[in-house]
Amino acid sequence: MLDAYPESRLARALLWSFGSLVLAFLILPTLIVVPISFSGSDMLEFPPRSFSLRWYSSFFGSADWMAALRTSLVLAGLTAVVSVPAAFLACIAIDRQGGRLARAIYAFAVIPSVVPGILLAIGLFFVLARLRLLGTLGGVLLGHAVLAIPVAVIVLYPAVRRFDWVQLQAARSLGAGWGRAIVGIMLPQMVLSLVSAALMAFLSSLDEAVISIFVSSGANTTLPKLMFISLRDQIDPTIAAISTLWTGLIVAVVLLFAARQRA
Amino acid sequence: MASPRIALEKVRKVYGRHVALDDVSVDVRPGEFLTLLGPSGSGKTTLLMAIAGFVRPEAGLIRIGDADVTRLPVNKRDIGIVFQNYALFPHMSVLSNVEYPLLLRRLPRAEARERAQAALARTQLEGYDARDIAALSGGQRQRVALARAVVFEPRVLLMDEPLSALDKNLREQMQFEIRKLQQDLAITTVYVTHDQREALTMSDRIAVMNAGRIEQLDAPQPIYQCPTSRFVADFMGESNILPAAFLEPLGSALPLDGTLVIRAENLSLEREAADGDGVAITGRVTAHAFRGETWHLRLEVEGERQLLLSIPSGKSFDPADIQIGQQLTAYAAARHIHRLDGGPEP
C-alpha cells in the first residue's frame, strides 16, 4: 500500500491538499449547524450575530420533540434487536448452504440497501396499509428492519465465514447440545462483529427519514420526520440545536465503539 | 470402568450415487487401538464420523458396549474426539479448553481445574494453563486437543488424522506419545490415517479400507506381510505383484502358480545360500535412485512389467556399476513370496 505513495514533493503536496478539501467538504456542512444552534436570533443565520442556549431549552422543553426523541431511540433499539438475530441466522444459512443458491440469498438479503429509499417507502406504505400497521410502531419497525438487515448481514457475514465450524462439532463431542455450543463457542468469537452489526442497525434506524415520513405518524413520529416537518413549517434554530445534539450523540457512540475496538 | 467395545453391523452410508460406506461391519475390542487405513475417499473418515455421530447411516447398527447408539446425538455418546485441525476454542485459554467438557458436566470449578491440570500434565503441558491457543505450536495444540478429548474419561476415543499437520520428526514422537497414553488409559480407540507407516507403528489391528469397504482387518505384521488382496498389497508400500510365470524357480519343489507378491525390500541382487529355495527374476534396469536408507532400483521384466527393488544402502552396492539398460537378475527367498488368494490377472 505504501509503495503507491507518490515520491515527489509536489505530488505529495497536491495529494494532501486534495484529501483535505474532500474531508472539509464532507465535514463542514455538518459542523456549520453547530454555531447556528447557539445563535441568539430567531432565524437560521450564519454566522450568528449573538449567542444563547435558548434553542436547546426550547428543544428539551417541548413535549413533541421529546416524544419524537423517545420514539426514535426506542425504535432504533428495537431495530437492532430484531435485525441482528435475523441477519446472523441469514449469514449462517448463506455460509452453510454454499454455492449459487447461497450467493442468491446473499444478494436478496442485501438488495434493500441499494433500492431507492423512496420506492421502498411507497411499497411499504401499501403493504402496511393492508396489514393495518400504518402509523404503528411495529409498522415503522418493520420498515427499519428491512433497511437494517442488509447492513447487519454485510457486517456479520465475514465473521461467520471465518468461523471454523468443526469447533461446534468439537463442542458437541465434548457434551454440549446445539444451543450451548453456539452460545458458548460460536457467539463469543464474534462479539465484536455482533456489536458492530447492532450499532450499525441502531444508527441506520436513527438516521432513517424517508420511510418514517411515509409510515410513521402521531405518537410514533420519529425525530428525523419531526425535523423534516418543522423545517418545512417553521424555520427556527431549534432544528440546529437538535442536529448538533444528534450529530454529537452519533459521533460519541462511534468513537466509543472505535476506542473499545482498539483496546 | 473398563473401556467398552465398539461394534458396527452392516453400516451403510450413501451420498447421492456415491456409496461411502458399503455395509461395513467391524468389531473393535475393548481397549484396542484400531486404525482405519486407506486412501482419501475410501470411507475411513465417514466411518469414524458415523461412530462419532456426525454422520447418520442409512442402515446398520452402531453399538458402544451393549448400548445401541445409532440414533443417539453426538453430545450424549460420551466419546472423546481429536479432530484433524484440532478444533481448539481460540477464545479460551489452554486450561479453559480442557475444563470445558468438565464444566458442561457440572463438575465443581475446583475439581474441574484439578482434573484439567492432571490431563495437561499427562500430555506434557504443565505450566501452559494460561496460554492463548494462538501462542501454541502445532505439537502443543495437538497435546491440548488430546488432553481435552480424554479429560472427561470418555468411553471411547476417536482420532481423525490427528498428526497430518505436523512435521515428520514431531509426528513420529507423537505417535509414541499417543500410543502410550492410549495404553495407560486402556481406552478403546479408533484412529484414522492414510499413512501406512503410522498405522503399522501404532495399531493393535489395522482395517485397510477401499471404496467404502474393509479390504483386510488384521494385526500390522500380517497386513504388511500377507496382504489378502491386490489393493492391500499395493497400498502397504512397495510391493511387486506378478504372475508366477515371470519367476524362475531355484531349488526344489517350489509350487509357483497364481499371482504372487514380493515386497521390494525382499529382493536382492545376490543370492544367499542361507535363503534356501527361492526365485530369480531377470530384467533390464530402467532407473535407479538414492533414497537415504535404501537404493531404489527399477527393472523392466519381459517388456512391460516393472520390478521394484529396495536395497539397504549399507550393503555393498555401487550404482556406478549399474547402467541403464543393463540386464540384472534379482533373487527372493521362498519365505518372502506370498500368494494372493484369487483375484484376476492384471
Side-chain angles (χ1 to χ4, degrees), chain A residues 120-134 142:
Chain A
L120 211 60
I122 293 169
L124 204 63
F125 180 84
F126 287 108
V127 172
L128 292 181
R130 264 291 158 81
L131 297 173
R132 297 177 181 283
L133 284 173
L134 269 186
L142 278 179

Side-chain angles (χ1 to χ4, degrees), chain B residues 25-292:
Chain B
S25 298
V26 57
D27 216 328
V28 190
R29 298 165 186 157
E32 180 179 42
F33 192 114
L34 181 99
T35 296
L36 304 175
L37 174 68
S40 56
S42 60
K44 57 189 194 303
T45 297
T46 309
L47 188 58
L48 192 81
M49 290 299 146
I51 301 172
F54 294 119
V55 166
R56 175 163 289 191
E58 267 90 39
L61 271 185
I62 301 170
R63 283 183 222 278
I64 298 178
D66 294 323
D68 176 359
V69 300
T70 318
R71 310 237 146 238
L72 203 64
V74 180
N75 50 317
K76 304 254 168 70
R77 288 197 187 191
D78 205 19
I79 288 177
I81 306 179
V82 178
F83 293 88
Q84 191 168 9
N85 70 351
Y86 316 137
L88 298 175
F89 307 135
H91 62 301
M92 295 181 181
S93 69
V94 167
L95 187 68
S96 305
N97 263 276
V98 182
E99 281 174 338
Y100 182 75
L102 302 176
L103 296 178
L104 280 177
R105 285 167 176 73
R106 302 185 188 288
L107 252 70
R109 270 203 173 269
E111 195 188 337
R113 164 157 308 215
E114 206 171 290
R115 277 178 59 180
Q117 280 169 336
L120 285 168
R122 254 186 195 284
T123 54
Q124 276 86 52
L125 278 178
E126 292 112 322
Y128 284 84
D129 291 5
R131 289 288 179 97
D132 268 350
I133 297 302
L136 299 181
S137 71
Q140 289 164 342
R141 286 178 200 202
Q142 174 63 66
R143 291 191 165 97
V144 178
L146 207 54
R148 189 180 66 177
V150 300
V151 69
F152 58 101
E153 293 172 5
R155 301 206 296 157
V156 299
L157 184 61
L158 308 179
M159 296 194 230
D160 183 16
E161 308 215 24
L163 302 179
S164 59
L166 303 181
D167 63 42
K168 189 166 175 291
N169 287 334
L170 188 55
R171 197 159 63 219
E172 283 169 7
Q173 186 193 335
M174 288 304 297
Q175 286 171 7
F176 286 102
E177 285 188 26
I178 290 176
R179 179 60 164 150
K180 181 166 187 312
L181 181 73
Q182 184 267 335
Q183 283 173 329
D184 289 350
L185 300 173
I187 185 168
T188 312
T189 299
V190 181
Y191 188 97
V192 163
T193 184
H194 62 263
D195 181 337
Q196 45 118 340
R197 198 187 280 258
E198 191 166 294
L200 293 169
T201 307
M202 302 179 77
S203 320
D204 290 316
R205 287 193 301 161
I206 298 171
V208 182
M209 291 195 68
N210 177 35
R213 252 177 266 167
I214 293 180
E215 288 266 339
Q216 188 173 357
L217 173 61
D218 215 328
Q221 260 190 310
I223 288 267
Y224 187 78
Q225 282 163 352
C226 308
T228 54
S229 72
R230 176 178 297 275
F231 177 83
V232 176
D234 259 340
F235 192 74
M236 293 309 294
E238 292 159 341
S239 279
N240 296 291
I241 303 169
L242 296 163
F246 284 82
L247 311 180
E248 177 195 333
L250 304 168
S252 58
L254 198 61
L256 286 181
D257 65 332
T259 304
L260 305 175
V261 182
I262 308 172
R263 299 200 59 87
E265 72 265 27
N266 290 331
L267 283 163
S268 70
L269 294 174
E270 288 144 9
R271 191 181 173 210
E272 281 160 43
D275 284 346
D277 291 352
V279 295
I281 311 159
T282 303
R284 282 185 319 111
V285 178
T286 57
H288 59 75
F290 181 57
R291 285 238 191 131

Side-chain angles (χ1 to χ4, degrees), chain A residues 87-98:
Chain A
F88 182 58
L89 294 177
C91 288
I92 291 179
I94 292 164
D95 189 60
R96 294 288 79 194
Q97 174 67 40

Side-chain angles (χ1 to χ4, degrees), chain A residues 138-192:
Chain A
V140 197
L141 176 60
L142 278 179
H144 282 192
V146 166
L147 284 179
I149 287 173
V151 175
V153 165
I154 289 168
V155 172
L156 281 175
Y157 184 59
V160 171
R161 227 183 116 148
R162 263 199 314 276
F163 182 71
D164 171 19
W165 293 91
V166 181
Q167 285 182 39
L168 288 191
Q169 291 195 337
R172 299 220 299 132
S173 78
L174 296 170
W178 272 117
R180 298 187 80 160
I182 290 173
V183 171
I185 300 302
M186 188 177 186
L187 292 186
Q189 293 181 50
M190 28 193 81
V191 165
L192 214 60

